[in-house]
Amino acid sequence: MDMTHDDIDAATGMIRAYVAAYPHSADTLEGVAQWWLEGRFPPLLIAAALERLLASGELERLNLGQHQLWRRAVRVA
């Protein structure tokens, strides 16, 4: 599957919706693919969507040993 901006937009929107519904969720790329996006997108496309949300400040990436967890960015007032 070729990655298009529309595909990345779709995955980004689904991730936003999931995080809005489950604000305390955190998962690896594989978990995001399986649980948040129900296997609808390939890993490279999901990685691009996650990086877009990281760049916009909506998500943060936590490095835990050899794993990376993605979660809603913690906003400090």
Side-chain angles (χ1 to χ4, degrees):
M1 173 182 190
D2 292 329
M3 283 194 297
T4 67
H5 288 291
D6 288 343
D7 295 328
I8 296 170
D9 288 345
T12 300
M14 289 181 70
I15 293 168
R16 280 187 182 119
Y18 189 92
V19 171
Y22 304 99
H24 299 290
S25 58
D27 221 325
T28 62
L29 175 86
E30 295 80 11
V32 171
Q34 181 177 359
W35 300 109
W36 300 16
L37 302 178
E38 301 173 349
R40 295 181 187 179
F41 301 97
L44 285 176
L45 191 142
I46 296 167
L50 290 169
E51 290 293 336
R52 179 186 285 180
L53 292 165
L54 176 68
S56 70
E58 295 174 69
L59 291 183
E60 62 184 12
R61 177 177 47 212
L62 304 173
N63 293 309
L64 302 171
Q66 301 217 349
H67 300 282
Q68 294 181 334
L69 288 181
W70 295 89
R71 69 177 186 185
R72 182 180 61 140
V74 176
R75 305 220 192 279
V76 178

